[in-house]
Amino acid sequence: MNVTLNRTDSVNAAIAIEIAKADYVNEVENSLKDLRKNAVIDGFRKGMAPPSFLRQKYGKSILVEEINKLVAKSLSDYILENKLNILGEPLPAEEQASIDFDKQEDFVFTFDIGLSPTIDVQLTKDDKIPYYQIQVTEDMIDKQIEHFKARYGNHESVEEVEDKDMVKGNIVELNENGEPKTGGITHENAVLMPAYMKNEEEKAKFLSAKLQSVIVFNPYKAYEGNEAELASFLKIKKEEVKNHTDDFSFDIAEITRYKEAEVNQELFDKVFEPGTVDSEKAFRDKIKEDLAQQLIPESDYKFLLDARKLLEGKASDLQFPDAFLKRWLLASDSRRTAESVEEDYPKITEDLKFHLIKEHLIEANGITIDESEMQEYAKRATRAQFAQYGYNIPDNLAENYAQEMLKKKETYRSLGDKIFEDKLIKVLKEQVTLCPEEIALEEFQKLIN
């Protein structure tokens, strides 16, 4: 067997794989022997079918299968052993000679490949890039404190109903005389919130009502016939709602109000490690510090966009195997058409250019990651997800979720790409001359958009 590379130009080449009978005959014979041992064929006992019969019936398909396996392995091994940086996947050559498996014993298979262009770009201290530091305003700090007050508040029992209170009690459906309706709905521990009532007149009946008082109201009017809300409140099916438009009595048994946390030492210790903050000023300072840290990824993202523009400018003469890539894009996705490939191609190559530049810079700067970094990053990502819902999970739980996250190939690759990108940003920030510039969040968002 002989494998050769023929370069058409710097980014296009063809790989020819010459296969002689001696390269595949043993594999074909072994496959036929295995087939004879295991095949169950009408008219023959298992393992007793004549070799001539099997060769006539299955010989060609086995030959094709073994040759295809040999070609695929040879192609893959050649690319790896010769460290060819290919784009996409090899495609059968457009000039491939026809193959006749019935008559030929020797074969030549040719594949077109697209080669990655050579990249040699770098940033230096002569390159100046703005670095936008987003200002943390007092308003941002105030909003964060309001968030903490709501998040760490608690429910307390009160004596009189207000708009957003949760009211629990017993309901009884009434007849036209204001008496309990025969066969009507009755429920203990029904729950409502006046704030969700759409009819102001019905809502007003509850506002300022006291514990143990009995309110006569019309749920159908209160919720303006909303089937979902009424079915939930009355504990009936949606289609039954229209049959219960009468008044109900509501015997108030409990009134619960959510009270926001006060800005005091108790809140400080819930938000941060106990002992970290001991005054409202220190609380605001710590929040400001945390918000500034949370905004750094936004600044880094804008820096990378600006660095990308600079790097792409330095690599403006990169050439791609355009015809090959368009063929590959069309062949690799059945949803694509020749027209859609032409339309999307400029954006595809724009992204591909930066992807290759990043790969070059990662290799040139010796950037690597190990499994422990993957584990730690996955745990941080897990904690961040739970933190969105107000949960600070323990290490063992974060570890378990991180392990599950890393079992998914797509997630594993995505996290790895993010770590590489974060490390690359750090390196590039050290290589260029940064021009720090403070900016309001609103103005920064305009820049991004």
Side-chain angles (χ1 to χ4, degrees), residues 249-447:
S249 65
F250 192 108
D251 186 354
I252 300 177
E254 184 181 340
I255 307 169
T256 306
R257 183 172 303 156
Y258 187 78
K259 183 181 179 183
E260 291 185 338
E262 295 182 10
V263 181
N264 54 25
Q265 191 63 48
E266 183 180 355
L267 179 61
F268 305 158
D269 291 344
K270 285 180 178 178
V271 175
F272 300 111
E273 280 291 321
T276 305
V277 171
D278 59 5
S279 68
E280 186 170 348
K281 181 182 182 306
F283 186 52
R284 296 182 69 86
D285 289 345
K286 187 71 170 69
I287 290 173
K288 184 176 183 178
E289 179 186 326
D290 283 4
L291 287 174
Q293 284 295 120
Q294 292 170 24
L295 291 169
I296 286 176
E298 299 295 324
S299 299
D300 283 352
Y301 174 69
K302 180 64 172 77
F303 165 80
L304 187 61
L305 291 180
D306 293 334
R308 171 178 178 166
K309 185 182 296 185
L310 194 58
L311 287 161
E312 288 180 343
K314 293 187 177 193
S316 59
D317 59 347
L318 282 188
Q319 297 296 313
F320 288 104
D322 297 322
F324 170 83
L325 282 177
K326 289 176 183 178
R327 276 180 61 206
W328 176 75
L329 288 167
L330 194 58
S332 63
D333 189 343
S334 60
R335 294 170 296 181
R336 286 194 172 111
T337 63
E339 292 75 17
S340 68
V341 168
E342 285 294 337
E343 183 180 346
D344 298 339
Y345 190 72
K347 181 67 170 67
I348 290 171
T349 49
E350 180 185 334
D351 291 339
L352 177 59
K353 177 189 285 190
F354 188 54
H355 172 75
L356 294 175
I357 289 172
K358 285 198 296 183
E359 284 192 337
H360 161 72
L361 292 171
I362 286 169
E363 183 178 355
N365 289 283
I367 299 173
T368 60
I369 60 176
D370 57 36
E371 196 61 31
S372 63
E373 290 176 291
M374 291 290 291
Q375 298 281 350
E376 189 55 39
Y377 195 92
K379 284 197 285 187
R380 289 205 307 271
T382 298
R383 288 196 182 95
Q385 285 179 344
F386 277 91
Q388 292 178 355
Y389 302 101
Y391 296 108
N392 184 16
I393 62 173
D395 282 345
N396 64 325
L397 193 57
E399 177 77 30
N400 292 338
Y401 273 96
Q403 292 291 345
E404 290 301 314
M405 186 185 297
L406 293 174
K407 287 179 182 178
K408 301 173 183 175
K409 290 182 180 179
E410 286 294 323
T411 304
Y412 189 95
R413 185 167 61 248
S414 176
L415 290 178
D417 289 345
K418 188 66 176 71
I419 297 172
F420 271 121
E421 187 172 278
D422 288 349
K423 286 191 171 188
L424 179 59
I425 289 172
K426 184 178 179 181
V427 168
L428 294 181
K429 284 164 69 176
E430 294 170 351
Q431 291 178 345
V432 303
T433 298
L434 289 179
C435 303
E437 182 179 331
E438 284 200 353
I439 188 171
L441 179 60
E442 295 77 9
E443 292 303 313
F444 179 82
Q445 290 170 337
K446 289 179 184 177
L447 280 180

Side-chain angles (χ1 to χ4, degrees), residues 15 27 31 93-94 189 197 208 219 231 259 315 321 348 363 392 410:
I15 295 176
E27 284 71 17
S31 292
E94 291 182 306
N189 298 321
M197 291 184 178
S208 299
K259 183 181 179 183
I348 290 171
E363 183 178 355
N392 184 16
E410 286 294 323

